[in-house]
Amino acid sequence: MMFSRSIEKFLIYLCLIIVVSLILFPVVWLILMSFKTRATIFALPPPLFFNPTLENYITTFVGKGYLKYLLNSLIIAIFTTILATSTGSLAAYAFSRFKGFVADNHFFFWILTFRMTPAVVLIIPYYFLWTTLGLYDSHLSVILSHTTFALPIVIWLMKGFFDGIPRDVEDAARVDGCSWFSVFFRITLPLSVSGITASAILSFIFSWNEFLISMIITRVNAKTLPASITGFVTTRGILWGEMAAVSVVIMIPVLTFILLVQKYLLRGMTFGAVQ
Amino acid sequence: MRKSEGRPWIWLLPSFFLLILVGIIPFFILLYLSFSDYFLLYPDIPRVFVGFKNFKNLVFDPWTYNALQTTFTFVGIALPLEMLIGLGLALLFSRPFKGITLLRTIMLIPLVIAPLVTGLIWNQMFNPDFGIVTYLLHSLGLFLNSGPTIDPSTALFSVAVVDIWRWTPFVMLIILSGILALPKEPFEAARIDGASRWQIFKNITLPLIRYPLTVAFLLRFMEAFKIFDEIWIITGGGPGDATRVVSIHNYKIAFYRWDLGYGSAIALFLEYITIILCAAFYKILQKSE
């Protein structure tokens, strides 16, 4: 009995380790590739040990001006986050506190459809809209476009948080003469800091990772890091090392964020279906 | 002023303003373009109203049908495998082991990596000349003169493998949260009654985690249906049309053939399907409340 128990335990551990290695392998492979020279990348079988080089990072971010795209990505993701989190929290508060206003259920559903709309559906109208307004290839147009997708995440996630905050305190403060806004800013918001952090990080991750829309509505000025990746497909073949270096830089912030919000990540990605 | 703050509209205004600008206006642009002939290649030719021509095209175009079929085949390969493996892994990861929290955290990694980067990694690993996956397959005597992504018969399956790598942890974590929230009593009672493991799983666990299973299924369906980045980077919709899913089809019609009228018609159709899927998801969410 004891013997079969420990065998079972061993087998489960083995399975867990195999699964986790399968998940990690491609990521580690990419990180290794970014430190390899062109010759090492093409070597078969892949060498276990090689002399790591920073060449790929230096060529792209110092030599080729990818620093600018990195900056663009940061600006766009940060402003998308601020815009979506601030306006989204207000809307979520309305959905949470003013139950039963005209068609609130329909609006709430309507907001979900924005998050689920395929990006490819929106690229034609965005291309058309931003060129007409003279905003093609500007930071503002990318920020606004990304907000379409980030806003629903914030509204859904924040509504769940506000629902969890008891109304008694708020009601008491209002009886004492506080306005709705001062109750919201002084009582409700400080109680939902973790929710706001989670929404902000999820918005940031979305905007930071987004590829198709940025590719269509930017050219040089507001190009983001993901949109710049296609530039590595050259007539001399694909520049794998440099592409890997840029990919690793795209990966760094999101991997850091996992540790901060792992509890809320799933909740945000499932619209609160998983608590 | 005080009174108006108690009205929902004040709070909703900023969001609705944004959503009208970037959500509603684009919808009307799509509607407008889908009723006109508009080729970006010839911007000087004025757009003409063509009635339902683009929609007639949509109904009778075998190419679009093919793209839809490819999409559903892709979903049909990836989704059942993700659900099955996800369920199995959730059972595995639900055991209390030393270090299990760390392993669960690692499972989150594929979820947050940019789809584009996922595509790039696997493109490199599938590369027919020097990719590690192709290299391993070669040493097994498979795909000797090609690679899994450039052989039309296996290309779609290969991109499905990438989707499975990326999304199985997501399914697993949703189901896992359901399993961890299960009450203990029915299991103890069943064990006392001498039920076998399989019986317990089939008659108690499975019915109790029906909700997370449905949520995972629907969310995955919606996401898999609109997949673009990964397939675009790995195969570009090829070889031939082997991986030309409907998103890629739509993109190529609009920005390769520059036929924005027809592209808009397809986009509207996709939006229609999205709304139906969302409605199903919303119903299930509300039921659980």
Side-chain angles (χ1 to χ4, degrees), chain A residues 8 12-13 22-23 29 42 45 87 98 105 110 114 116-117 126 179-181 209 215 240 243 262 274, chain B residues 5-6 15 22-24 95 97-98 105 112 114 120-121 124 130 135 165 177 247 251 271 274 282 285-286:
Chain A
E8 191 191 316
I12 290 176
Y13 255 122
L22 281 176
I23 292 295
W29 190 247
F42 287 110
T87 58
F98 307 105
N105 250 330
W110 177 63
F114 282 110
M116 279 306 167
T117 299
Y126 281 167
S179 69
W180 280 86
F181 282 128
N209 282 347
M215 180 174 81
W240 285 108
M243 201 184 237
Q262 51 169 309
V274 170
Chain B
E5 286 175 19
S15 294
V22 292
I24 298 296
R95 308 234 171 173
F97 270 112
K98 236 181 226 161
T105 308
V112 294
L120 285 174
I121 303 175
Q124 204 274 342
F130 57 88
Y135 173 73
W165 175 80
S177 75
S247 279
Y251 177 79
E271 181 62 19
T274 307
Y282 193 58
L285 272 187
Q286 279 189 319

Side-chain angles (χ1 to χ4, degrees), chain A residues 171-178:
Chain A
D171 289 340
R174 249 188 315 271
V175 169
D176 288 346
C178 283

